Amino acid sequence: MKRLGLLIFAAALLLAGCRHSSPQTPKPAAYGTQITEVSGGKQLAQVGSPLPQPLVLQVNGADGNPVTGALVTFHGDGVQFTPAQALTDSSGQVTVEAQLGYNPGDYQVTAETPKSGGGAASMSLREIALGYEQTVGRMLNDKYCIRCHDPESTPERVSNLDNLSPAPHQFTDGATLNRISDADLTNMIAHGGPALNKSPQMPAYGATLKPAEIKAMLSYIRTIADPPYQTPGVKYGK
Amino acid sequence: MDDNNKPGPLRSRPTLRELAYFGGVSLVLLVSLAIAPAKNYFSDWRHYQKSYLKIAAERQSGTLVRSFHGGIRQTWIAKLGVVDRCESCHVNMNGALVGATAQPFRKHPPIPHEIDQFGCVTCHRGQGPATSVEEAHYTTEAWEQPLLPAKYLESGCGQCHLGPLEGAPKLSEGRNLLSSMGCVHCHNVSQPDGNQLTPGDNPPPLTHIAEKTSREWIYAWIKNPQAYAASASMPNFLLNDQDAADISAFLMAQSTPSAASKVKIKPVAAASPSGADAATEATTLYGASFCSSCHAVQNEAGNLVGGNFGPELTRVGNKVNPDWLRRWLNNPAAYHPDTRMPHYRMDDKQVALLSTFLLAKKDNDLLANVHLSPSTADSVAHGKKLVTEAGCAACHQINGVNPPQNFAPDLTRVGSRALAQVVFAPGMKHNLPDYIAAKIHDPRSFGPGLKMPKFTLTDSQTDALATALLAQTDRAATYPKELIISGARPSNYHPGGDAGKLMDDLRCLSCHAINGNGGDMAPDLTWEGSAVQRAWLEEFLKNPNTLRPALIRRMPKFNLNPREIKTLADYISVAYQGPGFDSQTLDTHSLNADSAARGKQLFYSKYGCQSCHIADYKNDKGYVGPALTSVGTRLTPVWTYKWLKDPNALRAGTLMPNFGLKDEEARDLTAFLMTLKAKQGGGK
């Protein structure tokens, strides 16, 4: 019986030792009541790759002012954060790098900050990982589609969106595009707008792109849709 | 145990103790014999196959359960050296079990290859024949190459695809960087087809450097190139003050006069304009010469504006000697025969304007604190020793120092380097991708005595370089020839004759490709003679106003004289003809007014061409493609016709889609486009 006691004691010691060796949690110096996104949501990255921009979040107090020294913890299935926990800086912000996992698709990133009276304030960001097919789609998008479907203008690439009437849909416009079936979208890319009684200003790409490229394009459009696109049909859990 | 308790024939009855030992030993033997089957029974793959069947049964999918073949599943591809048992656990690779998101049952995302033709380890690495999770995925004693982290996956593609590859941007970027950052000056990187990567940068010769700059600038530059120009690709050798001073002493000492130094230039005062008007004029000249197509300048907001083909000019006034700059603007090749910079035919006034404008780009603090003691014979000798040891001559031409041979490790098979041969920095993970990335990111972290300098790279550039290097595997070298897809290699085409000399002087091939040789900054000119009308070409060479106002990179004005223009136009319109641009393809007599009217209808209504092109400035707004308001004076009818039929066949990679036009539609559109003429002959 004595031996058993000793064994349990040793095990407890070992466990305690293990806990100590795990990375140290920074001690919060202050507590906020609310956490908000400054930048870094809805980014695209290739699978397993870091997001192009860091995640920047801000913790505010009850008075709405930023809180310095509040602890922010990041979680996300398959996402690696450097660092995973940080204290807010003098402007009440934390900046972390995030690397997405192996799967293409959506990643949910949650940031949490403890409140002074217990409990925690949290918020979620959506990040998107591109697999092979979506990467091909993105390259095609950047080459052929972006000039008319993206309102953003750069000196190298002036947007043509405002010159067109009716204006083309942005590919992130899930509210509209999610309601169009895969077959219809494929037809529109392959045979142009008139195939679905839409504007002839959308040219037909069927003789320019291979079927696999049109499929890749479709996959890209579905992946970046906001709100996210839900595959029709049976849904299963894990 | 009592069953064993029988009298032996040869000995007297065993004692109880002997029996106990015997029993114990038998028990141990039995247990140890049972270990193997038990291990097999409780193996990872059996566990996962059972879970898979359980999920399938829960979904009441009888077909899935019935069609499932259990046991070890192996993919054997002899010619690739692949023996993979991954599918023993990853049983749902084809996605038959819909919606499974947790590993090992996730469906493999779509890729352009069949898994059973290439296997898994070809791209993912890891140990194919292993049947336990640990051994297949991670570094173990018997296996040192673990599964490849996802961010380097494109290196798998790079084993067979040796050129740029759509869908593998990281790999392509990495290969470009190996070339453009000049890695391959020192490191040999050969591909399985025998192609050796060649440097894509153009390091200046240092043989006449005393003409160009000061010893103080050299000192500051080699101490920290990025302090002078944030975008500089020259790496930092982390030199101490004394070594940098000695190297600068040696570089000044070895310099000899260049051919340019013999050119007489007018004294500054005579030609130098001044005042606000001159500044405006100079800014206009800088813009009109399209210097920013190749050179960047940091603006007040700290952003680089301009191209990266030539060096950044933000602080060029700190660097160059005024006389050198004027000679350089006068004719760059006299100083650097292999420069990519064209010979602008500027007059003295323009040279003076531009040099004054450039010399004003300086940061007075840059060299304020550089005070070097005068160079001595010792410091020059020490400088030469350092230059030789550091391998400066691998990139730069230097008097008295030969380019080193086999200077840095050969990286042809670096993607398969055995970990036993790798010296890891303290505290780093023992695996190859991390080693390669760390070595690129901060080479000196592996020891202060190492030669490799520190390059200025972003994290994603480091990942891209590591991806390109991880593609250099032993495995790729043994693949059958028919799997290897070589990249396009530049031809050694150079235009001949008088026009050839002129085109070389203007460095046309720095931006334009012709017959498979040249840059990709401007349109390919291989068939330019078939494409454009002779009158337009002459007008364009005289005054190249751009077809695409939205572009930053444009053709500069070279101030060519009429004889030069005629020589170039003659050569281009005769020598650069494509196949099949004749009356058999398109009978120009069929392009009549009726046809043009039908074409206009097609242009505006059926095909919506005005969404990207402007045919009429009053109504059309599209500017994705070039403006077509004077296309009838620019392009030949037959080129226009063939272009409309299949643009990609005439210019690979064009944005213009192939509309699959019928012959008569293309003819009508051509007829319409040919009616769009410039107001007064050529040009605008």
Side-chain angles (χ1 to χ4, degrees), chain A residues 46-50 99 101-104 132-133 135-136 139-140 143-144 147-148 155-160 162-164 194 200-208 213 215 234 236-238, chain B residues 59 98-99 101-102 106 109-112 124 147-151 153-154 165-170 463 550-552 605-608 611-612 621-624 653-655 657-660:
Chain A
Q46 276 183 278
V47 285
S49 298
Q99 177 175 315
Y102 235 105
N103 305 357
Y132 168 78
E133 207 173 41
T135 302
V136 173
M139 294 176 87
L140 294 168
K143 181 174 175 186
Y144 294 108
R147 295 292 294 267
C148 294
E156 291 280 359
R157 197 197 70 225
V158 178
S159 172
N160 196 35
D162 289 342
N163 295 330
L164 301 175
Q201 299 196 68
M202 166 68 198
Y205 282 91
T208 308
E213 290 177 315
K215 187 163 165 274
V234 220
Y236 292 105
K238 284 214 162 174
Chain B
R59 301 250 182 101
V98 178
T101 53
R106 202 183 303 133
I111 48 165
H124 288 277
L147 218 59
L148 199 61
K151 64 174 165 179
L153 261 182
E154 288 171 17
L165 181 62
E166 208 166 279
K170 231 182 239 179
D463 287 348
L551 287 189
I552 285 182
S605 301
K606 184 165 180 192
Y607 291 109
S611 52
C612 291
K621 292 184 197 153
Y623 43 75
V624 175
T654 176
L655 287 193
N658 180 344
F659 286 85

Side-chain angles (χ1 to χ4, degrees), chain B residues 134-423:
Chain B
E134 177 83 18
E135 286 191 344
H137 297 80
Y138 306 116
T139 308
T140 62
E141 275 177 25
W143 188 255
E144 56 178 24
Q145 304 278 9
L147 218 59
L148 199 61
K151 64 174 165 179
Y152 303 121
L153 261 182
E154 288 171 17
S155 68
C157 318
Q159 299 176 102
C160 298
H161 297 271
L162 308 184
L165 181 62
E166 208 166 279
K170 231 182 239 179
L171 173 73
S172 306
E173 189 199 353
R175 287 208 175 119
N176 278 341
L177 285 168
L178 280 175
S179 164
S180 65
M181 296 298 289
C183 309
V184 293
H185 281 293
C186 294
H187 294 280
N188 175 36
V189 182
S190 296
Q191 298 189 308
D193 63 351
N195 179 41
Q196 202 177 353
L197 297 189
T198 50
D201 56 348
N202 189 12
L206 307 182
T207 42
H208 320 298
I209 191 164
E211 265 165 48
K212 181 178 182 178
T213 186
S214 65
R215 187 174 161 213
E216 283 72 23
W217 182 83
I218 298 178
Y219 171 87
W221 165 259
I222 57 179
K223 283 279 288 180
N224 183 4
Q226 283 68 38
Y228 166 76
S231 66
S233 64
M234 163 107 171
N236 190 334
F237 285 79
L238 305 169
L239 299 165
N240 64 39
D241 294 356
Q242 188 57 50
D243 287 355
D246 290 351
I247 290 176
S248 65
F250 166 67
L251 289 177
M252 294 302 276
Q254 57 83 44
S255 175
T256 55
S258 72
S261 69
K262 286 157 199 133
V263 179
K264 285 242 160 49
I265 47 164
K266 286 196 179 148
V268 185
S272 174
S274 57
D277 282 356
T280 320
E281 213 179 324
T283 313
T284 314
L285 182 60
Y286 184 85
S289 307
F290 290 108
C291 305
S292 60
S293 291
C294 296
H295 298 280
V297 172
Q298 214 169 27
N299 64 12
E300 277 156 19
N303 298 321
L304 278 179
V305 179
N308 59 359
F309 199 59
E312 186 187 324
L313 300 179
T314 310
R315 299 180 185 85
V316 68
N318 287 107
K319 174 181 174 182
V320 297
N321 293 330
D323 281 356
W324 177 88
L325 181 60
R326 286 209 296 281
R327 291 195 171 100
W328 173 264
L329 291 172
N330 201 37
N331 185 8
Y335 177 83
H336 179 4
D338 294 325
T339 182
R340 299 188 284 207
M341 169 125 164
H343 179 190
Y344 285 81
R345 285 135 166 78
M346 291 186 194
D347 59 26
D348 289 345
K349 190 192 164 201
Q350 287 174 316
V351 167
L353 272 172
L354 206 51
S355 61
T356 314
F357 175 76
L358 289 173
L359 289 169
K361 294 186 181 300
K362 65 193 293 185
D363 170 0
N364 289 327
D365 297 336
L366 187 74
L367 302 177
N369 295 320
V370 182
H371 304 290
L372 301 174
S373 46
S375 70
T376 61
D378 280 354
S379 64
V380 169
H382 186 232
K384 182 170 186 178
K385 184 170 161 273
L386 290 170
V387 163
T388 312
E389 282 171 5
C392 306
C395 299
H396 298 281
Q397 207 183 327
I398 300 170
N399 291 316
V401 183
N402 292 326
Q405 301 297 317
N406 302 325
F407 183 65
D410 190 311
L411 300 181
T412 298
R413 302 278 187 92
V414 67
S416 295
R417 185 164 293 173
L419 294 195
Q421 298 171 6
V422 171
V423 181

Side-chain angles (χ1 to χ4, degrees), chain B residues 187 236-238 439-441 443-444 449-455:
Chain B
H187 294 280
N236 190 334
F237 285 79
L238 305 169
K439 191 90 189 179
I440 296 167
H441 176 66
R444 300 288 171 95
L450 295 177
K451 280 183 186 165
M452 173 151 163
K454 185 169 165 48
F455 287 82

Side-chain angles (χ1 to χ4, degrees), chain B residues 59-124:
Chain B
R59 301 250 182 101
Q60 291 163 0
S61 177
T63 26
L64 267 188
V65 178
R66 275 192 301 278
S67 65
F68 183 75
H69 298 290
I72 297 264
R73 298 160 149 207
Q74 178 171 290
T75 308
W76 178 45
I77 306 159
K79 64 176 180 178
L80 300 181
V82 163
V83 181
D84 282 356
R85 295 175 178 165
C86 312
E87 287 189 79
S88 306
C89 295
H90 296 276
V91 286
N92 192 34
M93 217 91 95
N94 59 6
L97 181 69
V98 178
T101 53
Q103 283 292 30
F105 303 137
R106 202 183 303 133
K107 179 188 175 185
H108 196 284
I111 48 165
H113 293 300
E114 296 299 326
I115 294 168
D116 55 6
Q117 282 174 19
F118 287 87
C120 308
V121 294
T122 311
C123 300
H124 288 277

Side-chain angles (χ1 to χ4, degrees), chain A residues 15-26 85:
Chain A
L15 268 174
C18 286
R19 189 165 293 167
H20 261 283
S21 68
S22 66
Q24 280 203 332
T25 308
Q85 292 181 316

Side-chain angles (χ1 to χ4, degrees), chain A residues 5-192:
Chain A
L6 217 69
L7 216 74
I8 290 172
F9 181 67
L13 260 182
L14 205 75
L15 268 174
C18 286
R19 189 165 293 167
H20 261 283
S21 68
S22 66
Q24 280 203 332
T25 308
K27 256 217 152 92
Y31 296 90
T33 55
Q34 188 202 12
I35 182 163
T36 56
E37 176 193 351
V38 177
S39 66
K42 290 179 189 164
Q43 295 187 69
L44 307 180
Q46 276 183 278
V47 285
S49 298
L51 292 172
Q53 301 297 325
L55 309 179
V56 184
L57 301 178
Q58 181 167 327
V59 176
N60 292 334
D63 53 0
N65 291 326
V67 176
T68 304
L71 176 70
V72 181
T73 312
F74 289 86
H75 312 276
D77 229 8
V79 187
Q80 285 175 31
F81 301 96
T82 1
Q85 292 181 316
L87 297 179
T88 53
D89 61 12
S90 58
S91 52
Q93 298 185 348
V94 284
T95 303
V96 302
E97 306 281 341
Q99 177 175 315
L100 302 184
Y102 235 105
N103 305 357
D106 275 17
Y107 286 79
Q108 210 68 35
V109 168
T110 310
E112 238 180 28
T113 185
K115 291 184 186 173
S116 61
S122 74
M123 68 150 316
S124 287
L125 296 176
R126 177 186 175 215
E127 309 294 352
I128 300 160
L130 307 175
Y132 168 78
E133 207 173 41
Q134 295 87 18
T135 302
V136 173
R138 173 155 75 164
M139 294 176 87
L140 294 168
N141 169 61
D142 290 357
K143 181 174 175 186
Y144 294 108
C145 320
I146 200 167
R147 295 292 294 267
C148 294
H149 283 275
D150 186 341
E152 199 183 309
S153 274
T154 65
E156 291 280 359
R157 197 197 70 225
V158 178
S159 172
N160 196 35
L161 188 138
D162 289 342
N163 295 330
L164 301 175
S165 172
H169 291 292
Q170 292 179 46
F171 291 153
T172 45
D173 179 6
T176 310
L177 296 180
N178 289 353
R179 284 188 281 124
I180 306 177
S181 70
D182 284 1
D184 280 355
L185 273 181
T186 305
N187 272 330
M188 229 179 301
I189 299 172
H191 305 295

